[in-house]
Amino acid sequence: MSTTTTEALSATTLLRFATAGSVDDGKSTLVGRLLHDSKSVLVDQLEAVERASASRGQDAPDLALLTDGLRAEREQGITIDVAYRYFATPRRRFILADTPGHVQYTRNMVTGASTAELTVILVDARNGVVEQTRRHAAIAALLRVPHVVLAVNKMDLVGYAEKVFAAIAEEFTAYATELGVPEVTAIPISALAGDNVVEPSANMDWYGGPTVLEHLETVPVSHDLAHCHARLPVQYVIRPQTSEHPDYRGYAGQIAAGSFRVGESVTVLPSGRTSTISGIDLLGKPVDIAWTTQSVTIRLADDIDISRGDLIVPTKDAPATTQDVEATVCHVADEPLRVGHRVLLKHGTRTVKAIVKDIPSRLTLDDLSLHPHPGQLVANDIGRVKIRTAEPLPVDSYADSRRTGSFILIDPSDGTTLTAGMVGESFASPEPVKDQADEDGWDF
Amino acid sequence: MTTVAEAATGGEGTATPYALSHLDALESEAVHIFREVAGEFENPVILFSGGKDSIVMLHLALKAFAPAAVPFSLLHVDTGHNFPEVLEYRDRVVAAHGLRLHVASVQDYIDRGVLKERPDGTRNPLQTLPLTEKIQSEKFDAVFGGGRRDEEKARAKERVFSLRDEFSQWDPRRQRPELWNLYNGRHAPGEHVRVFPLSNWTELDVWQYIAREGIELPQIYFAHEREVFARNGMWLTAGEWGGPKDGETVEKRQVRYRTVGDMSCTGAVDSDAATLDAVIAEIAASRLTERGATRADDKLSEAAMEDRKREGYF
């Protein structure tokens, strides 16, 4: 291999995506095929699966064993947790958050979707859009995953009929659009037979769009910086205090959104002090401009008091600070979240004390209806909360910035991650209209 | 705007100048993880074996805090059967960067009678006790490991910040969900957090990054002549550690190592890849995973890695 090939390989981009599907929709088969056909399943892994399958008395290799990594999962034949898988084509690298389909694992899909730029939602062509499909679409919308792929699977079992596909695609797209999903790409596939997963299907010449892999390879991943508020959560203050660098003082962090330029006027929150960027170091190398997800060190013209947890923003585009945070949350812990709960809230690089003031509503994902004042949220519940923080926080709306609009709640007693939060309005934000009693219990 | 199966717009998806290359994205993420640990923990340590993953970890840590020094010390679990070239490399790197190195020695534990040599001669499982006791005695609260999720399917489930109890045990059912890049490092006294900044890297990413950054490696990663013998389908280096046994014959072959570990269970592969480019080409074309090709201990049982991780192994 020549050096130029090496360079070309390392210049590919990275796409993070998540899969969602009900138990028998063929998610494992789709994942298996993507891994297998991109040469990411190697001989010794296949041999291990064959050995394990044979020792269980199975006739054929059980490809689910490729992805079910834990003892309990293999014993019970279920997937209990998010796993991350890796594969690559010459055009792009992929990180796949492989999330279980069971409804009780809503939190796992939320976890996978939080870092995903694309979600593949599988449906069975024979069943069409079902409750679970609507849940998956709602979570993708809530987490603001930029791209949604509807993979209509098992087309081989409906005679590869265009009419079946078109009806499902239309119904799903209408639903997702209503939720605010910005882009839906529907693809008719058979994961088992391989139609339109990696290779175009000979059985569906009426379909003119990309295969799943082709779409994954070409979907744009970068952000439109012009419309992003620039944000740098300060992680760490770098002060060498050596003879070589006696006065160096840099504010290290990963740019959460937008871009920063040398010479720009910036404000430090929550203190509100202002200064000018005198230098940006990109991992040791000075640059004039740096942008989102780059880890940088910013130097300022004035010696002002800045520490971990502060947020550096452009002076002309600073968010308001608040001690009253309203958000849509997904509760991820087994212990319920209740009104009056004292918690820690981690936002960016800042962790503050907080108290749950109110839980105005809980969302029913099936029909997107709101239960008013549920009193508590249990594991996998999605609801609205009002939180009072001990210190002012510069929060953005999650709709504007997935990174500075998100937070987690932590149990101060044992460190458990309790809740994932998204600040501001969402499709789940309107107050509940009817004040019905909550006597029918939890409905998902 | 939603359409049915509309072809993706924007061509390659790399059109804008603001898309990071996959190596830049992985590097930035790893640096973010190092800085989070530096900001939130009292006494972190980097596990450093002199293998390529720990070498890349150290390189990333050096970049994360430049021009200041790395605010972490290093910890090497020395099995007593390490390759001399790797120990020499380790000591040279530690000296060059003015770092502090802790060593937990398996041989010490065997000499004191605390650990017993296994009949199969492998010392990999013996590393767990010296490692966990050193973590406790030095009160390390964050321990960086070079583990990657692509290595093994139990590791595919591993979090970036992974809580270990006071016995250093991993409980996959008690893992914290990891949302966005908001890592939760809270832990009780006596517990610690294992941190995996290379979680999202693959073997090929590591090699491409080594090539891009011009990082020096121990020479055993490149093709060289070596006296080896075959055991369990792998080429092991002959030596005082206990090989070859009766019936095993030593021969001279041109080999290189894909991983670096204990001599008794780390195999070499036949190779004429003497440069980084040749190594990358070889890995890209390989039909075997790095562990499948070179690690005997992972073949012990279907859940070998999970079981060892539960006990506190890295």
Side-chain angles (χ1 to χ4, degrees):
Chain A
M1 183 183 292
S2 69
T3 307
T4 39
T5 321
T6 307
E7 280 166 5
L9 267 176
S10 59
T12 57
T13 51
L14 191 62
L15 179 76
R16 291 169 200 254
F17 75 106
T19 53
S22 304
V23 181
D24 295 316
D25 285 345
K27 194 168 64 68
S28 300
T29 318
L30 175 65
V31 170
R33 189 160 283 282
L34 284 170
L35 293 174
H36 182 267
D37 291 6
S38 62
K39 212 208 79 170
S40 303
V41 179
L42 300 181
V43 173
D44 53 313
Q45 292 171 317
L46 270 180
E47 281 173 2
V49 166
E50 281 162 11
R51 258 200 318 275
S53 304
S55 75
R56 286 175 174 71
Q58 293 164 330
D59 298 336
D62 179 0
L63 286 177
L65 294 175
L66 274 175
T67 52
D68 288 345
L70 301 174
R71 241 179 221 289
E73 293 177 323
R74 285 190 298 271
E75 284 160 5
Q76 299 170 36
I78 56 158
T79 312
I80 60 171
D81 208 339
V82 185
Y84 294 87
R85 324 245 166 238
Y86 303 84
F87 66 99
T89 68
R91 298 164 92 175
R92 193 170 261 179
R93 292 297 175 107
F94 300 97
I95 299 176
L96 161 58
D98 187 7
T99 67
H102 291 272
V103 61
Q104 62 267 42
Y105 300 118
T106 301
R107 57 185 169 195
N108 289 335
M109 191 187 159
V110 168
T111 303
S114 72
T115 51
E117 284 160 294
L118 181 147
T119 296
V120 179
I121 297 175
L122 266 122
V123 302
D124 185 325
R126 295 170 302 176
N127 306 329
V129 175
V130 295
E131 264 179 33
Q132 187 76 329
T133 318
R134 284 193 286 272
R135 280 193 199 106
H136 293 150
I139 293 169
L142 205 57
L143 272 288
R144 297 192 182 264
V145 180
H147 307 278
V148 169
V149 172
L150 175 74
V152 181
N153 193 22
K154 307 195 183 180
M155 286 299 292
D156 51 321
L157 301 182
V158 295
Y160 295 107
E162 180 176 12
K163 233 169 58 185
V164 174
F165 168 72
I168 295 169
E170 195 183 338
E171 184 185 351
F172 180 85
T173 302
Y175 184 74
T177 306
E178 196 187 322
L179 294 174
V181 171
E183 186 196 278
V184 175
T185 301
I187 305 175
I189 67 167
S190 166
L192 195 67
D195 294 281
N196 289 334
V197 177
V198 173
E199 298 297 327
S201 170
N203 299 308
M204 291 179 275
D205 50 12
W206 46 265
Y207 173 74
T211 64
V212 173
L213 186 64
E214 207 179 317
H215 183 67
L216 293 174
E217 283 182 312
T218 53
V219 71
V221 291
S222 58
H223 310 281
D224 182 5
L225 295 180
H227 295 94
C228 283
H229 311 287
R231 303 288 184 254
L232 180 76
V234 175
Q235 281 188 285
Y236 195 76
V237 181
I238 293 178
R239 290 174 62 209
Q241 295 177 294
T242 56
S243 52
E244 204 185 335
H245 301 281
D247 302 318
Y248 187 99
R249 189 181 173 90
Y251 307 102
Q254 187 175 29
I255 297 176
S259 61
F260 288 91
R261 273 176 198 283
V262 173
E264 196 172 358
S265 170
V266 290
T267 297
V268 180
L269 296 173
S271 73
R273 292 184 185 90
T274 60
S275 183
T276 307
I277 296 178
S278 60
I280 303 175
D281 296 321
L282 180 62
L283 304 184
K285 177 177 92 236
V287 292
D288 292 330
I289 177 172
W291 55 86
T292 179
T293 77
Q294 287 184 327
S295 280
V296 296
T297 308
I298 280 184
R299 287 172 284 125
L300 299 182
D302 306 283
D303 214 358
I304 55 181
D305 179 22
I306 303 178
S307 56
R308 174 173 169 83
D310 289 343
L311 186 71
I312 297 177
V313 300
T315 302
K316 59 178 167 34
D317 180 23
T321 60
T322 179
Q323 285 180 256
D324 293 292
V325 177
E326 285 195 53
T328 301
V329 301
C330 175
H331 191 61
V332 297
D334 292 330
E335 284 295 303
L337 185 75
R338 294 195 176 91
V339 174
H341 214 133
R342 288 178 186 277
V343 295
L344 295 170
L345 184 154
K346 184 171 185 184
H347 169 256
T349 53
R350 193 177 197 88
T351 305
V352 298
K353 287 184 180 175
I355 185 165
V356 179
K357 297 298 276 189
D358 191 15
I359 304 179
S361 61
R362 180 171 52 84
L363 177 72
T364 307
L365 276 177
D366 302 345
D367 61 0
L368 304 183
S369 67
L370 296 166
H371 274 245
H373 305 292
Q376 63 173 10
L377 296 175
V378 301
N380 297 303
D381 274 355
I382 288 172
R384 294 284 297 170
V385 298
K386 292 181 178 175
I387 299 164
R388 174 78 178 173
T389 59
E391 297 165 44
L393 288 179
V395 291
D396 285 299
S397 160
Y398 187 76
D400 290 338
S401 167
R402 289 173 89 191
R403 286 223 168 162
T404 48
S406 57
F407 62 85
I408 55 173
L409 299 183
I410 298 169
D411 186 331
S413 66
D414 64 1
T416 303
T417 299
L418 297 171
T419 306
M422 292 152 280
V423 178
E425 302 287 311
S426 76
F427 68 81
S429 62
E431 291 298 312
V433 278
K434 44 188 178 158
D435 205 80
Q436 67 186 58
D438 201 30
E439 63 216 1
D440 52 355
W442 313 113
D443 46 7
F444 78 95
Chain B
M1 159 66 185
T2 54
T3 52
V4 172
E6 188 187 49
T9 51
E12 292 296 305
T14 55
T16 96
Y18 301 115
L20 302 191
S21 77
H22 83 277
L23 285 182
D24 286 333
L26 292 172
E27 178 186 60
S28 180
E29 177 182 75
V31 164
H32 173 257
I33 292 162
F34 278 112
R35 289 168 169 177
E36 280 298 281
V37 171
E40 296 221 323
F41 291 83
E42 295 292 323
N43 191 20
V45 69
I46 299 177
L47 289 175
F48 188 81
S49 65
K52 65 181 186 311
D53 299 311
S54 56
I55 290 170
V56 165
M57 270 206 297
L58 179 59
H59 181 85
L60 288 161
L62 288 162
K63 289 185 90 166
F65 301 98
V70 174
F72 315 123
S73 54
L74 303 185
L75 168 58
H76 182 215
V77 183
D78 187 342
T79 65
H81 290 162
N82 284 298
F83 294 91
E85 301 94 322
V86 176
L87 292 180
E88 183 273 327
Y89 177 96
R90 175 195 79 183
D91 294 337
R92 193 153 41 82
V93 166
V94 166
H97 299 294
L99 296 161
R100 178 161 179 222
L101 175 73
H102 305 266
V103 178
S105 163
V106 173
Q107 191 64 55
D108 272 2
Y109 278 72
I110 293 172
D111 293 346
R112 286 193 279 125
V114 181
L115 286 175
K116 282 201 181 66
E117 200 85 73
R118 292 159 52 99
D120 63 6
T122 176
R123 286 187 169 182
N124 250 11
L126 304 185
Q127 295 181 82
T128 302
L129 186 67
L131 168 69
T132 55
E133 288 200 348
K134 185 63 102 180
I135 289 170
Q136 299 298 333
S137 67
E138 296 287 335
K139 297 189 164 49
F140 294 126
D141 54 359
V143 180
F144 289 102
R148 309 186 318 264
R149 291 183 183 134
D150 80 319
E151 284 179 87
E152 207 273 338
K153 56 191 174 181
R155 284 208 164 145
K157 303 263 172 183
E158 181 77 82
R159 300 292 180 263
V160 173
F161 273 39
S162 195
L163 187 66
R164 296 296 198 267
D165 68 13
E166 58 190 314
F167 301 101
S168 293
Q169 295 177 117
W170 182 59
D171 182 351
R173 282 183 180 276
R174 273 192 57 220
Q175 298 196 92
R176 295 168 177 165
E178 234 156 38
L179 297 135
W180 298 286
N181 64 340
L182 295 169
Y183 301 111
N184 176 358
R186 306 284 297 189
H187 61 283
E191 296 179 337
H192 70 278
V193 175
R194 297 280 171 92
V195 183
F196 301 99
L198 305 185
S199 283
N200 286 323
W201 297 51
T202 65
E203 183 187 17
L204 194 54
D205 296 328
V206 167
W207 280 105
Q208 286 179 354
Y209 188 71
I210 288 167
R212 185 183 89 171
E213 300 284 301
I215 302 170
E216 191 203 337
L217 292 182
Q219 282 306 307
I220 67 170
Y221 278 112
F222 302 98
H224 58 288
E225 294 251 303
R226 177 177 284 267
E227 289 199 329
V228 292
F229 65 93
R231 181 182 292 173
N232 298 330
M234 295 188 309
W235 295 116
L236 298 185
T237 293
E240 286 174 12
W241 63 266
K245 287 183 187 157
D246 294 341
E248 295 169 334
T249 51
V250 171
E251 56 184 293
K252 209 167 213 169
R253 298 186 73 90
Q254 171 141 306
V255 295
R256 67 173 199 88
Y257 282 85
R258 277 174 79 173
T259 64
V260 161
D262 187 85
M263 276 190 191
S264 63
C265 61
T266 307
V269 293
D270 286 313
S271 172
D272 55 7
T275 64
L276 278 173
D277 272 351
V279 167
I280 290 170
E282 188 180 281
I283 289 165
S286 172
R287 300 295 297 144
L288 286 177
T289 65
E290 124 185 40
R291 291 203 161 253
T294 64
R295 288 296 176 100
D297 47 329
D298 289 341
K299 294 178 181 164
L300 294 177
S301 89
E302 201 183 336
M305 175 65 86
E306 181 184 346
D307 293 346
R308 275 183 290 141
K309 282 167 69 70
R310 281 172 175 274
E311 288 165 14
Y313 187 77
F314 30 91

